[in-house]
Amino acid sequence: MSGKKLHFGIIGAGRIGRVHANSLAFQIPEAEIVSVFDVNREAAGRLAADFNIPNIAGTVDDILGDKRIEAVAICSSTDTHADMIAWSAQAGKHIFCEKPISYTLKQIDGALEAVEKAGVKLQIGFNRRFDTNYARVRKAVADGEIGKPCLVHIVSRDPLPPLISFVKVSGGMFLDMMIHDFDMARFLTGDEVEEVYAAAGVMADPAIGEVGDVDTAIVTLHFRGGAIGTIDNSRKAVFGYDQRVEILGTEGKIASENRFPNQVVVSTGKAVYSDLPLNFFMDRYTDSFAEELRQFTRAVLEDRPVPVTGADSRVPVIMALAARKSYDEHRPVKLVEVSA
Amino acid sequence: MSGKKLHFGIIGAGRIGRVHANSLAFQIPEAEIVSVFDVNREAAGRLAADFNIPNIAGTVDDILGDKRIEAVAICSSTDTHADMIAWSAQAGKHIFCEKPISYTLKQIDGALEAVEKAGVKLQIGFNRRFDTNYARVRKAVADGEIGKPCLVHIVSRDPLPPLISFVKVSGGMFLDMMIHDFDMARFLTGDEVEEVYAAAGVMADPAIGEVGDVDTAIVTLHFRGGAIGTIDNSRKAVFGYDQRVEILGTEGKIASENRFPNQVVVSTGKAVYSDLPLNFFMDRYTDSFAEELRQFTRAVLEDRPVPVTGADSRVPVIMALAARKSYDEHRPVKLVEVSA
Amino acid sequence: MSGKKLHFGIIGAGRIGRVHANSLAFQIPEAEIVSVFDVNREAAGRLAADFNIPNIAGTVDDILGDKRIEAVAICSSTDTHADMIAWSAQAGKHIFCEKPISYTLKQIDGALEAVEKAGVKLQIGFNRRFDTNYARVRKAVADGEIGKPCLVHIVSRDPLPPLISFVKVSGGMFLDMMIHDFDMARFLTGDEVEEVYAAAGVMADPAIGEVGDVDTAIVTLHFRGGAIGTIDNSRKAVFGYDQRVEILGTEGKIASENRFPNQVVVSTGKAVYSDLPLNFFMDRYTDSFAEELRQFTRAVLEDRPVPVTGADSRVPVIMALAARKSYDEHRPVKLVEVSA
Amino acid sequence: MSGKKLHFGIIGAGRIGRVHANSLAFQIPEAEIVSVFDVNREAAGRLAADFNIPNIAGTVDDILGDKRIEAVAICSSTDTHADMIAWSAQAGKHIFCEKPISYTLKQIDGALEAVEKAGVKLQIGFNRRFDTNYARVRKAVADGEIGKPCLVHIVSRDPLPPLISFVKVSGGMFLDMMIHDFDMARFLTGDEVEEVYAAAGVMADPAIGEVGDVDTAIVTLHFRGGAIGTIDNSRKAVFGYDQRVEILGTEGKIASENRFPNQVVVSTGKAVYSDLPLNFFMDRYTDSFAEELRQFTRAVLEDRPVPVTGADSRVPVIMALAARKSYDEHRPVKLVEVSA
């Protein structure tokens, strides 16, 4: 466990900042956090105390100008991501950034351009790729264990709707929530989606409809390679976080189930039952949050390609824009319609 | 088990005729088979021998004119169903007929008109409604066990593609295979579908594409009550018959799994594994084939409504026609477009 | 399905008589029931009516003297089995007899001697051998799929205690209930048990203790081949019939689970649950009851060995006697102690 | 996460020392490691480097004499546990010690006496009590969710036999391996075992038999409260770590299953399969290793009773000695026979 370390600055000390600080401080021996910045200085202070971070930066520039810092973890609010990426790149830092870079292609392209120019590494936080379930499904597809994919189903349902204040600034369900599933569709199949058709409605919380968003949706996917599939999203699965995928291939089927807090079954005179599945992403994806940063750290230290690229952050946004357009216009929409 | 019996004539001694003869002869004490007809007289003879049927009818009229016969089970080829129903109704027989009545609404309406005029009972062989899994799912929805349905998924995949000779006369996958799932969509939700969007392709057998049909499809369903859903069909699931449904409601989720020949799990140094699920409908739906006829028999004997009506046979055909139109025109299609 | 038939007489028209009559009448084309006898003539009459049996025998001798009858199914009370077997053998009939022949080795040996002398076939109704789960486990062991058995566990629990009036004449839990599991221990492993140790108690119903029996027991099995194992019995599993086995071998493990009425899982805000397993043997072993008679019928018609022999009926009684002796004397007991 | 911290010294820097150091350093904010000792100074150095421990102690006395250290984690070899406990107690340190204290009651009693005299807290490392599965089972029993326990089964099988060099000094399977299960038997039921009967053999590795030990065993448990049960141990389950329990109570059953690395199922034309369960205790009990130390730390800081007491460490040794005596003498053995 000895050897070279990668020195990090953390930008943003909110909930996801804590998750990544914990991974870097306690689960990745090759990583060391040098400094943390947050517009809320008190939050930065608490994070520093809890994870033994020696410096609390007064400004972003204190991070970007710190010579010891080789990489930044951008955990600030989404609207700052594109700028933070550009500035960090210009400062020569390698970048791990939470998804998405932005909700507009223009901003994304600006950020990616800065990264390319600087020649730094950029990895986007599509953490689900590192979940053992999805990694296993991907491996099966890549290895031909189930033949060529024909039918792809991705289910992703939250336990309960977010606050309306969040919904208003979230970019909408397709951009905020389904973005992960659009990434999954590409990752699991190794294929690209050409066209989508979105059916959606307001079934979980009428207030979501009142601010112009939907809370329940099925998006049909037409893949370039010929496969078809669906993404199923709901803002309200009362039993907990519902995160499953299934692929039917020419030689078999692979399906992943939810994770549960225990493997205990009780049988009484009334029913055979178990406890509810893990409730939300902080419980379900704990390990994948650590694994994505571990792989980023090692990719930088060993100068290898990162596992989730800037391009991987661009396409799901296009898919989300196409899905919303499909819903609005009630017709199938090709991705080129929104990306051209 | 004593008491009044319902006397049956069987029209058609092929594979499905044998299934129904077996149910009537051995599993439904209130039923008695009086006579059997088939254009292949030898087949009729074998059926009579195996199930102790006293008469082999020389013509359909021998069945329809037989005063002892109160009900007919129409198991002849699909193209004869509409006429057989009309003639049986005119002869005053109660009618159990295999699905579908016809692939054209005109023929269906003619048959239903004859039934109504004669005042006889007509039940269509949508046997899956009587499967213990689907009956349990229906009960949950009807009882509000999972609240109001929001997302409905029906998976129905055959173990291997049919002969091309059959595909040519089958009416196509939407009419021949997905018809059962269209019925399920209505049965499970107690709701009606207003619009469909079909994504489909040829992935299992190129020869199916050559005769103008598809072998893999996802149809998005827009329900009148606001729910959305999908039907997933494939002609080739190499592991066996894949028959599952899942409904997410406002208060919970209900999902049914495949059936297996045994409940045995083996763990070796290589994997944890079990045998394949039941291979096809003759194994999977054995009990529901008997149950549908049992309920028909009792409905007639007790003069109660039959559980699957003539109207139930009409709507799935409309849905299939709309799905095909959606696939051909690559756009969502409202059912009124094809039924008007 | 045409060809030679085996003509049966049924002795005993109670519950198990009905089960076997149903199998012979409706599920085994090669079998034909000619006559039925019961001391309760009315019961015999009902059976005859329900299963189209042409004759109701006035006495057992009417069955045994009937030249058309080639085989008898002995379904009368246990205390009559030994005599019925002996008489049937003397009359030259092949014999299917419900388990056990008797609770005393002397009576069993008398019956088996008569069978051997007459050269007829005798099969004992250890129906569980024909259950698809146990047959699959047996096959795995026989084929070496899990290597050499090391640890064997048999669980067999009834949903609720029997009437005390039955307990009094049942021979006790080891002879009445665990007898099936003793047979399973031999069948599944293909090995013989040499010694047993019984731990037991009264936990389900104090009234069972008052008449000198136990209702809960674990019997440790020492197999000749070196394996060790347990049988776990309870008269009261409130969730239903609990029927499972597990074998750990040198190369793997095989385990069978209970059977359920459906494969449906419901997830609500409170729990993930399914309906209770099949409640009792009439539901769980429906198919194996038919299969044992089917194999008996074919073995007789084709003059092949029957799958459960007279010897198979003798050893489990020895095991039960040894288990009771172990419980009474609170020490391990070798089978030779009770069989010598 | 701020507030008082408990300062630890670690004695022993081997495999289990690393596990506990990791928990204390990274997963328990209230804990701080001050110093580490190992007879192998290099190992101590590596541990210190990896977990940021400021001091490497030259002798045990350097730990025991360090005023800042309030608690020790004893991770040295089993033969040193009793002395380390006594010395630590005399030095006024609270003690977390790996199981078992010793293989002789005399040594255990000496250590416990020293602890009592010093008035310090002592917790033994029966980590399985903190596993979410077993904690859930315990809760069900304690809450009466399944009524009063009647039948208790504990399965604990290792993936492969240990080195013979270890077997020779391990104390034998009953003391080394089954000790955890004896603890489980008491923990899960909240009851005490009065008598045991051991059946055992050499089935996994003949070399184990050659040094006088067994590798496969079933121990029958007679509980004071009337329940009966079994512990099933094997040194070789080729598919991985097999860790399950099941309790049948008067009102229901509770059973826990193994844990798997993922929740993925593949269905091909040959089988339905999943990957193997977690392979061994370092994977399976990762979380419970952290949880036991977390609860110890908090119990000390808040001056509450520790969850596993010195008495809890004594009884399983008695049970192991009785089990070995039962196996040697081939008879049931009461615990009082070996503890008196």
Side-chain angles (χ1 to χ4, degrees):
Chain A
M1 286 192 193
S2 56
K4 210 164 51 164
K5 293 210 174 197
L6 187 67
H7 299 88
F8 274 85
I10 294 180
I11 298 171
R15 185 169 62 170
I16 196 69
R18 294 195 79 84
V19 170
H20 292 319
N22 185 73
S23 298
L24 293 171
F26 296 150
Q27 301 184 268
I28 306 170
E30 304 95 327
E32 191 170 326
I33 311 174
V34 171
S35 186
V36 58
F37 166 77
D38 196 289
V39 289
N40 178 339
R41 199 179 167 95
E42 200 186 351
R46 278 196 307 272
L47 198 79
D50 291 338
F51 299 104
N52 303 316
I53 303 172
N55 300 293
I56 302 167
T59 65
V60 172
D61 284 340
D62 288 351
I63 298 275
L64 300 182
D66 189 326
K67 296 290 181 212
R68 293 165 306 172
I69 293 176
E70 298 148 301
V72 293
I74 300 176
C75 311
S76 48
S77 64
T78 298
D79 59 338
T80 68
H81 287 181
D83 283 347
M84 291 292 178
I85 288 175
W87 298 340
S88 300
Q90 285 150 14
K93 311 299 189 199
H94 298 292
I95 304 158
F96 177 89
C97 182
E98 263 310 299
K99 64 91 208 168
I101 295 180
S102 162
Y103 295 144
T104 74
L105 290 179
K106 201 180 155 204
Q107 284 198 304
I108 293 173
D109 290 343
L112 295 184
E113 206 176 324
V115 167
E116 190 164 13
K117 205 166 167 184
V120 297
K121 291 185 194 295
L122 166 68
Q123 181 174 326
I124 302 300
F126 281 126
N127 63 293
R128 292 186 196 171
R129 291 185 177 211
F130 305 90
D131 176 70
T132 57
N133 280 357
Y134 300 138
R136 178 67 178 84
V137 173
R138 172 59 194 146
K139 188 179 183 317
V141 172
D143 292 355
E145 196 172 349
I146 58 162
K148 191 176 169 334
C150 301
L151 290 163
V152 179
H153 295 292
I154 298 167
V155 169
S156 180
R157 300 163 180 167
D158 288 352
L160 77 183
L163 296 175
I164 292 301
S165 55
F166 171 80
V167 173
K168 283 180 184 168
V169 301
S170 70
M173 192 167 69
F174 297 111
L175 268 165
D176 163 58
M177 181 172 170
M178 202 178 280
I179 195 102
H180 274 296
D181 307 298
F182 289 131
D183 182 59
M184 278 293 100
R186 299 176 66 238
F187 170 68
L188 295 176
T189 60
D191 197 357
E192 294 292 341
V193 169
E194 290 188 325
E195 191 179 21
V196 297
Y197 171 73
V202 179
M203 308 183 206
D205 184 353
I208 290 175
E210 285 162 20
V211 298
D213 200 1
V214 295
D215 57 27
T216 309
I218 296 172
V219 171
T220 301
L221 310 170
H222 297 258
F223 287 89
R224 187 176 295 166
I228 49 180
T230 62
I231 294 171
D232 164 315
N233 269 191
S234 166
R235 291 283 198 188
K236 187 181 159 201
V238 296
F239 50 89
Y241 205 35
D242 202 0
Q243 298 281 304
R244 295 170 290 139
V245 302
E246 175 182 316
I247 301 179
L248 176 74
T250 50
E251 304 303 328
K253 175 174 74 168
I254 185 161
S256 71
E257 250 302 326
N258 284 322
R259 286 221 188 118
F260 288 79
N262 60 57
Q263 289 67 49
V264 170
V265 175
V266 185
S267 304
T268 68
K270 295 231 170 109
V272 175
Y273 61 90
S274 63
D275 293 342
L276 298 183
L278 295 178
N279 190 256
F280 215 169
F281 66 95
M282 298 291 276
D283 300 311
R284 165 64 191 268
Y285 292 119
T286 312
D287 292 338
S288 64
F289 279 123
E291 185 60 22
E292 65 176 350
L293 266 176
R294 186 176 295 118
Q295 293 199 19
F296 170 74
T297 301
R298 290 180 184 168
V300 173
L301 285 174
E302 300 164 17
D303 195 16
R304 287 186 290 98
V306 294
V308 192
T309 68
D312 290 330
S313 78
R314 194 180 187 277
V315 180
V317 173
I318 296 171
M319 295 168 81
L321 297 173
R324 178 72 211 200
K325 190 179 184 68
S326 169
Y327 174 67
D328 287 340
E329 302 182 4
H330 197 50
R331 65 173 180 88
V333 169
K334 287 195 190 307
L335 266 58
V336 292
E337 294 188 48
V338 297
S339 64
Chain B
M1 286 193 194
S2 55
K4 211 166 50 165
K5 294 209 174 197
L6 186 67
H7 298 88
F8 274 85
I10 293 179
I11 297 171
R15 185 171 60 169
I16 197 69
R18 293 196 79 84
V19 170
H20 292 319
N22 185 72
S23 298
L24 293 171
F26 296 150
Q27 301 184 267
I28 306 169
E30 305 95 328
E32 192 170 325
I33 312 173
V34 171
S35 186
V36 57
F37 166 77
D38 196 290
V39 288
N40 178 339
R41 197 177 169 96
E42 200 185 351
R46 279 196 305 274
L47 197 80
D50 290 337
F51 299 103
N52 303 314
I53 302 172
N55 300 293
I56 302 166
T59 65
V60 172
D61 284 341
D62 287 351
I63 298 275
L64 300 182
D66 190 325
K67 296 290 181 210
R68 291 165 308 171
I69 294 176
E70 298 149 300
V72 293
I74 301 176
C75 311
S76 49
S77 63
T78 298
D79 60 338
T80 67
H81 287 180
D83 283 346
M84 291 291 178
I85 288 175
W87 297 340
S88 300
Q90 284 150 14
K93 310 300 190 198
H94 297 292
I95 303 159
F96 176 90
C97 181
E98 263 310 301
K99 63 91 209 169
I101 294 180
S102 162
Y103 297 143
T104 73
L105 291 178
K106 200 180 155 204
Q107 284 199 305
I108 293 172
D109 290 342
L112 294 185
E113 205 177 324
V115 167
E116 189 165 12
K117 203 165 167 185
V120 295
K121 291 184 194 295
L122 167 67
Q123 180 173 329
I124 303 300
F126 282 125
N127 63 293
R128 292 186 195 171
R129 293 186 175 209
F130 305 89
D131 176 71
T132 57
N133 280 357
Y134 300 138
R136 178 67 178 84
V137 173
R138 172 59 195 146
K139 188 179 182 320
V141 172
D143 292 355
E145 196 171 349
I146 57 162
K148 191 175 167 339
C150 300
L151 289 163
V152 179
H153 295 292
I154 299 167
V155 169
S156 179
R157 301 163 179 167
D158 287 352
L160 78 183
L163 296 175
I164 292 300
S165 55
F166 171 80
V167 173
K168 284 180 185 169
V169 301
S170 70
M173 193 169 69
F174 298 111
L175 267 164
D176 163 59
M177 181 173 170
M178 202 178 279
I179 194 101
H180 274 295
D181 307 298
F182 289 131
D183 182 58
M184 278 293 99
R186 301 176 67 237
F187 170 68
L188 294 176
T189 60
D191 197 357
E192 294 293 340
V193 169
E194 289 187 328
E195 191 178 20
V196 296
Y197 171 73
V202 179
M203 309 184 206
D205 184 354
I208 290 175
E210 285 161 21
V211 299
D213 200 3
V214 294
D215 57 27
T216 309
I218 296 172
V219 171
T220 301
L221 310 171
H222 297 257
F223 287 89
R224 186 177 296 165
I228 50 181
T230 63
I231 293 170
D232 165 314
N233 269 191
S234 167
R235 290 283 197 188
K236 186 182 159 201
V238 295
F239 50 88
Y241 205 35
D242 202 1
Q243 298 280 304
R244 295 170 290 138
V245 302
E246 175 182 316
I247 301 179
L248 176 73
T250 50
E251 304 302 328
K253 174 174 75 168
I254 185 160
S256 70
E257 250 301 326
N258 284 322
R259 285 221 189 120
F260 288 79
N262 60 57
Q263 287 68 48
V264 170
V265 176
V266 185
S267 303
T268 68
K270 296 230 171 108
V272 175
Y273 60 90
S274 63
D275 293 343
L276 298 182
L278 295 178
N279 190 256
F280 215 169
F281 66 94
M282 298 291 276
D283 299 311
R284 165 65 191 266
Y285 293 119
T286 313
D287 292 339
S288 63
F289 279 123
E291 185 61 20
E292 65 177 349
L293 267 175
R294 186 176 296 118
Q295 293 198 19
F296 171 75
T297 302
R298 290 179 184 169
V300 173
L301 285 174
E302 300 165 16
D303 196 16
R304 286 186 289 99
V306 293
V308 192
T309 68
D312 290 329
S313 78
R314 194 179 186 275
V315 180
V317 173
I318 295 170
M319 295 168 81
L321 296 172
R324 178 73 211 199
K325 189 180 184 69
S326 169
Y327 174 67
D328 288 339
E329 303 182 5
H330 197 51
R331 64 172 182 88
V333 169
K334 288 195 190 307
L335 267 58
V336 292
E337 295 188 46
V338 297
S339 64
Chain C
M1 285 191 194
S2 55
K4 212 166 50 166
K5 294 209 175 197
L6 186 67
H7 299 88
F8 275 86
I10 294 180
I11 298 171
R15 186 170 60 169
I16 197 68
R18 294 196 77 85
V19 170
H20 292 319
N22 185 72
S23 298
L24 294 171
F26 296 149
Q27 301 184 266
I28 306 169
E30 304 94 326
E32 192 170 325
I33 311 173
V34 172
S35 186
V36 56
F37 166 77
D38 196 289
V39 289
N40 177 338
R41 199 180 168 94
E42 200 185 352
R46 278 196 306 272
L47 198 80
D50 290 338
F51 299 103
N52 303 315
I53 302 172
N55 299 294
I56 301 167
T59 65
V60 172
D61 283 341
D62 287 351
I63 298 275
L64 300 182
D66 190 326
K67 296 291 180 209
R68 293 165 307 171
I69 293 177
E70 298 148 299
V72 293
I74 300 176
C75 311
S76 49
S77 63
T78 297
D79 60 336
T80 68
H81 287 180
D83 282 347
M84 291 291 178
I85 288 174
W87 297 341
S88 300
Q90 284 150 15
K93 311 299 189 198
H94 297 293
I95 303 159
F96 176 90
C97 182
E98 264 310 300
K99 63 91 209 168
I101 295 180
S102 162
Y103 296 143
T104 74
L105 291 178
K106 199 180 156 204
Q107 283 198 305
I108 293 172
D109 290 343
L112 294 185
E113 205 177 326
V115 166
E116 189 165 13
K117 202 165 168 185
V120 296
K121 291 185 194 296
L122 166 67
Q123 181 174 327
I124 302 301
F126 281 125
N127 63 292
R128 292 185 196 172
R129 292 186 176 210
F130 305 90
D131 176 70
T132 57
N133 280 356
Y134 300 138
R136 178 67 179 83
V137 173
R138 172 59 195 146
K139 188 178 182 321
V141 172
D143 292 355
E145 196 171 350
I146 57 162
K148 191 175 168 335
C150 301
L151 290 162
V152 179
H153 295 292
I154 298 167
V155 169
S156 179
R157 300 163 181 168
D158 287 352
L160 77 184
L163 296 175
I164 291 302
S165 54
F166 171 80
V167 173
K168 284 180 184 167
V169 301
S170 70
M173 193 170 68
F174 298 110
L175 267 165
D176 163 57
M177 182 173 169
M178 202 177 280
I179 195 102
H180 274 295
D181 307 298
F182 289 131
D183 182 59
M184 278 292 100
R186 300 176 67 237
F187 171 68
L188 295 176
T189 60
D191 197 357
E192 294 292 342
V193 169
E194 290 188 326
E195 192 178 20
V196 296
Y197 171 74
V202 179
M203 309 184 206
D205 184 355
I208 289 175
E210 285 161 21
V211 298
D213 201 2
V214 294
D215 56 28
T216 309
I218 295 172
V219 170
T220 301
L221 309 171
H222 297 257
F223 287 89
R224 188 176 297 166
I228 50 180
T230 62
I231 294 170
D232 164 315
N233 269 191
S234 166
R235 291 282 198 190
K236 187 182 159 200
V238 296
F239 50 89
Y241 205 35
D242 202 1
Q243 298 281 304
R244 295 170 290 138
V245 302
E246 175 182 316
I247 300 179
L248 176 74
T250 49
E251 304 303 328
K253 174 174 76 167
I254 186 160
S256 71
E257 250 302 325
N258 284 321
R259 285 222 189 120
F260 288 78
N262 59 58
Q263 288 68 48
V264 170
V265 176
V266 185
S267 304
T268 68
K270 296 229 170 109
V272 175
Y273 61 90
S274 63
D275 293 342
L276 298 182
L278 295 178
N279 190 255
F280 215 169
F281 66 93
M282 298 290 276
D283 300 311
R284 165 65 191 266
Y285 292 120
T286 314
D287 292 339
S288 64
F289 279 123
E291 185 61 20
E292 66 177 348
L293 267 175
R294 186 176 295 118
Q295 292 198 19
F296 171 74
T297 301
R298 289 179 184 168
V300 173
L301 285 175
E302 300 165 17
D303 195 15
R304 287 186 289 99
V306 292
V308 193
T309 68
D312 290 329
S313 78
R314 193 180 187 276
V315 180
V317 172
I318 295 170
M319 295 168 81
L321 297 172
R324 178 72 211 199
K325 188 179 184 72
S326 169
Y327 173 68
D328 288 339
E329 302 182 5
H330 197 51
R331 64 172 182 89
V333 169
K334 287 195 190 307
L335 266 57
V336 291
E337 294 188 47
V338 298
S339 64
Chain D
M1 287 193 192
S2 57
K4 211 166 49 164
K5 292 209 176 200
L6 187 66
H7 299 87
F8 274 86
I10 293 180
I11 298 171
R15 185 170 61 169
I16 197 70
R18 294 195 78 83
V19 170
H20 292 319
N22 186 73
S23 298
L24 294 171
F26 296 150
Q27 301 184 267
I28 306 170
E30 304 94 327
E32 192 170 326
I33 311 174
V34 171
S35 187
V36 58
F37 166 78
D38 196 289
V39 289
N40 178 339
R41 199 179 167 93
E42 200 185 351
R46 279 196 306 273
L47 197 79
D50 291 338
F51 299 103
N52 303 315
I53 302 172
N55 301 293
I56 302 167
T59 65
V60 171
D61 283 340
D62 287 351
I63 299 275
L64 301 182
D66 190 327
K67 295 290 181 213
R68 293 165 306 172
I69 293 176
E70 298 148 301
V72 293
I74 300 175
C75 311
S76 49
S77 65
T78 297
D79 59 338
T80 67
H81 286 181
D83 283 347
M84 291 292 177
I85 288 175
W87 299 340
S88 301
Q90 284 149 14
K93 311 298 189 198
H94 298 292
I95 303 157
F96 177 88
C97 182
E98 263 310 299
K99 63 91 210 169
I101 296 180
S102 162
Y103 296 144
T104 73
L105 292 179
K106 200 180 157 203
Q107 284 199 304
I108 293 172
D109 290 343
L112 295 185
E113 206 175 326
V115 167
E116 191 165 11
K117 203 166 168 184
V120 296
K121 290 185 194 296
L122 166 68
Q123 180 173 327
I124 303 301
F126 281 125
N127 63 293
R128 292 186 195 171
R129 291 186 177 210
F130 305 90
D131 176 71
T132 57
N133 280 357
Y134 300 138
R136 177 68 178 84
V137 173
R138 171 60 194 146
K139 188 179 182 318
V141 172
D143 292 355
E145 196 172 349
I146 58 162
K148 190 177 170 335
C150 301
L151 290 162
V152 178
H153 295 293
I154 298 167
V155 169
S156 180
R157 300 163 180 168
D158 288 352
L160 77 183
L163 296 175
I164 291 302
S165 56
F166 171 80
V167 173
K168 283 181 184 167
V169 301
S170 70
M173 192 168 69
F174 297 111
L175 268 165
D176 164 57
M177 181 172 171
M178 203 179 279
I179 195 103
H180 274 296
D181 307 298
F182 289 132
D183 181 59
M184 278 293 100
R186 299 176 67 238
F187 170 68
L188 295 176
T189 60
D191 198 358
E192 294 292 342
V193 169
E194 290 188 325
E195 192 179 20
V196 296
Y197 171 74
V202 179
M203 309 184 206
D205 184 355
I208 289 175
E210 285 162 21
V211 299
D213 200 4
V214 295
D215 58 26
T216 309
I218 296 172
V219 170
T220 301
L221 310 170
H222 297 257
F223 288 89
R224 187 176 296 166
I228 50 180
T230 62
I231 293 171
D232 165 314
N233 269 192
S234 167
R235 290 282 197 188
K236 187 182 160 202
V238 296
F239 50 88
Y241 205 35
D242 203 0
Q243 299 280 304
R244 295 170 290 139
V245 302
E246 175 182 317
I247 301 179
L248 177 74
T250 50
E251 304 303 328
K253 174 173 75 167
I254 185 161
S256 71
E257 249 302 326
N258 284 322
R259 286 222 189 119
F260 288 78
N262 59 57
Q263 288 68 50
V264 170
V265 176
V266 185
S267 304
T268 68
K270 296 231 171 107
V272 175
Y273 61 90
S274 62
D275 293 341
L276 298 183
L278 294 178
N279 190 256
F280 215 170
F281 66 95
M282 297 290 276
D283 299 311
R284 166 63 191 267
Y285 293 119
T286 312
D287 292 339
S288 64
F289 279 124
E291 185 61 21
E292 65 176 349
L293 266 176
R294 186 176 296 118
Q295 292 199 19
F296 171 74
T297 301
R298 291 180 183 168
V300 173
L301 285 175
E302 300 166 16
D303 195 17
R304 286 187 288 99
V306 293
V308 192
T309 69
D312 289 330
S313 78
R314 192 180 188 275
V315 180
V317 172
I318 296 171
M319 295 168 80
L321 297 173
R324 178 72 211 201
K325 190 178 183 69
S326 169
Y327 173 67
D328 288 339
E329 302 182 5
H330 198 49
R331 65 173 180 88
V333 169
K334 288 196 190 305
L335 267 58
V336 291
E337 294 188 48
V338 296
S339 64

